[in-house]
Amino acid sequence: MIENKAFCEECRNDVAFVETAVSMVGTIKDKAYHYVGKEAHCADCGAELFIPEFIDYNLRALYDVFRKENGIISLEQIREIPEKYAIGKRPLSLLLGWGEQTFTRYADGDTPTKQYSDILLRIYNDPAFYSELLEANKGNLKSELAYEKSRRAVSALLSSGTSVSSKIDAVIQYLLGQCEDITPLALQKALYYIQGFYYAFYKTFLFPEDCEAWVHGPVYRDIYFRYKDYRFDPIEKTADFNESVFSSGEKAIYDSVINHICCYSGKVLERFTHNEAPWLVTRGTLPITAPSDRIIEKSLIGDYFSNVKEKYNMICPNDIKKYAQDMFLCK
């Protein structure tokens, strides 16, 4: 595990700290919102510590709840749109007839109005709608190259029938075609590591689905029930899959996880996740064998794997190998 330290005002020294998930209440526009935040306490004296990253985390968590309760598109979904449709942030703003910096502000964390959010959410979920916008407003773009690049991306989506909302299904089909003898337990861990490492490298999440902190590690509930009858047996391999629906960045993460994570058994990968902060923090004080449907917050996953990338000086996705080897040797 990665050891975190911070300065303790009581001990007057840099100390290890204990990270805990806590219920918090924040106010936005005179309305209170309940969310799960993080606190850090000195491992020696128990005093609460000031961690700038936790302040940022808690603010993001508050606004995530605000967005969800008010039907506003999530920040992760906003950041996925340019990647999905192979278009820059400024060209996308121009395509939509907005100010040139508008989408960039939303991708940096500003909350869109409900009207703009509805447009973005429909674009996120409906490639056909985006395709219509691209054709109708292509004259707004400053270069023919921007149009052609985005046209190829959306055409590939439409021809394959793959949309952002089914991204996790497409990834599963790719994993089942590429991996040898992957069990349901190993599949769950592969999806979790793909989600985490993709965020570490590209600062956006691939899957809108949440995973939960079950006894045997992170689990995507719907995927569990889909394949639960296989139990400890390998899932049946799929036929050839059209890889063109993935970007080069996506495929680099998938292939590295396949090569360096999926080479271990599901039980070994379970041990990996039991030593990682997202599962540990979400489980909190629960006994290790206690059932739980607690959702592992995406921000916990993002923060953890971003720290892993920094600690291991990862330059490209293939560097995931270093982390996997260390986790395997960790007792």
Side-chain angles (χ1 to χ4, degrees):
M1 295 176 58
I2 298 173
E3 184 180 22
N4 295 312
K5 287 193 173 184
F7 184 76
C8 176
E9 293 284 351
E10 298 295 328
C11 299
R12 308 302 299 175
N13 196 12
D14 286 333
V15 298
F17 61 80
V18 178
E19 177 180 321
T20 57
V22 295
S23 296
M24 296 183 173
V25 180
T27 302
I28 300 176
K29 296 181 180 179
D30 298 322
K31 181 178 177 181
Y33 294 90
H34 297 263
Y35 63 99
V36 177
K38 292 197 297 189
E39 286 184 355
H41 293 268
C42 174
D44 295 330
C45 72
E48 185 174 352
L49 306 182
F50 174 78
I51 310 291
E53 294 81 2
F54 283 19
I55 302 300
D56 295 339
Y57 172 92
N58 292 338
L59 187 60
R60 288 197 305 271
L62 169 61
Y63 272 90
D64 284 346
V65 171
F66 169 80
R67 288 171 183 256
K68 186 174 183 180
E69 292 191 13
N70 290 280
I72 303 296
I73 186 172
S74 72
L75 182 58
E76 289 82 6
Q77 291 170 323
I78 288 174
R79 289 173 173 172
E80 287 173 10
I81 292 173
E83 172 76 16
K84 189 66 185 179
Y85 295 112
I87 189 168
K89 297 173 185 176
R90 292 183 181 183
L92 180 56
S93 268
L94 294 174
L95 184 71
L96 297 174
W98 299 349
E100 192 168 357
Q101 295 292 333
T102 301
F103 185 84
T104 299
R105 289 191 289 102
Y106 294 153
D108 288 341
D110 283 3
T111 304
T113 63
K114 188 66 166 65
Q115 179 185 0
Y116 279 20
S117 170
D118 288 346
I119 293 171
L120 291 173
L121 196 56
R122 187 172 177 188
I123 289 172
Y124 175 86
N125 286 315
D126 189 353
F129 175 65
Y130 176 80
S131 179
E132 293 173 3
L133 287 176
L134 183 63
E135 289 302 317
N137 300 334
K138 61 184 178 182
N140 293 349
L141 299 175
K142 292 183 177 180
S143 75
E144 182 70 16
L145 180 62
Y147 164 77
E148 292 292 344
K149 185 179 179 182
S150 192
R151 167 49 54 198
R152 287 194 298 271
V154 71
S155 294
L157 286 174
L158 291 172
S159 64
S160 69
T162 301
S163 66
V164 174
S165 61
S166 63
K167 171 69 76 176
I168 197 167
D169 295 316
V171 173
I172 288 170
Q173 294 308 304
Y174 184 68
L175 289 171
L176 295 182
Q178 297 294 316
C179 294
E180 294 294 334
D181 299 335
I182 187 169
T183 63
L185 183 61
L187 175 64
Q188 292 282 358
K189 304 306 173 282
L191 294 172
Y192 165 75
Y193 281 113
I194 285 171
Q195 179 86 308
F197 280 116
Y198 188 85
Y199 182 88
F201 279 93
Y202 303 111
K203 299 307 176 189
T204 189
F205 291 104
L206 276 171
F207 312 137
E209 292 85 356
D210 290 314
C211 62
E212 300 174 6
W214 287 21
V215 169
H216 297 292
V219 169
Y220 290 90
R221 177 179 289 271
D222 290 345
I223 308 306
Y224 168 80
F225 286 107
R226 185 186 307 176
Y227 295 108
K228 69 183 182 68
D229 289 341
Y230 283 92
R231 296 177 60 81
F232 304 110
D233 296 325
I235 301 171
E236 184 179 354
K237 293 177 70 69
T238 61
D240 292 339
F241 181 79
N242 181 11
E243 301 175 10
S244 66
V245 301
F246 299 137
S247 69
S248 58
E250 291 172 354
K251 192 170 180 300
I253 296 293
Y254 307 157
D255 289 342
S256 187
V257 168
I258 288 169
N259 292 332
H260 306 307
I261 299 290
C262 294
C263 58
Y264 299 106
S265 71
K267 292 304 291 182
V268 170
L269 296 179
E270 175 186 316
R271 176 168 60 80
F272 284 17
T273 60
H274 281 196
N275 284 311
E276 294 169 340
W279 186 83
L280 289 169
V281 170
T282 304
R283 297 278 300 184
T285 58
L286 283 177
I288 195 167
T289 58
S292 168
D293 61 357
R294 293 179 181 177
I295 290 174
I296 302 177
E297 296 295 334
K298 286 189 178 70
S299 48
L300 274 177
I301 297 172
D303 289 348
Y304 178 80
F305 284 97
S306 294
N307 288 337
V308 168
K309 179 177 179 290
E310 181 178 352
K311 177 184 178 182
Y312 285 84
N313 297 315
M314 294 182 181
I315 306 301
C316 66
N318 196 51
D319 292 333
I320 292 170
K321 177 180 181 180
K322 306 173 187 176
Y323 176 72
Q325 289 175 337
D326 275 5
M327 291 300 289
F328 180 70
L329 295 174
C330 179
K331 302 299 183 182

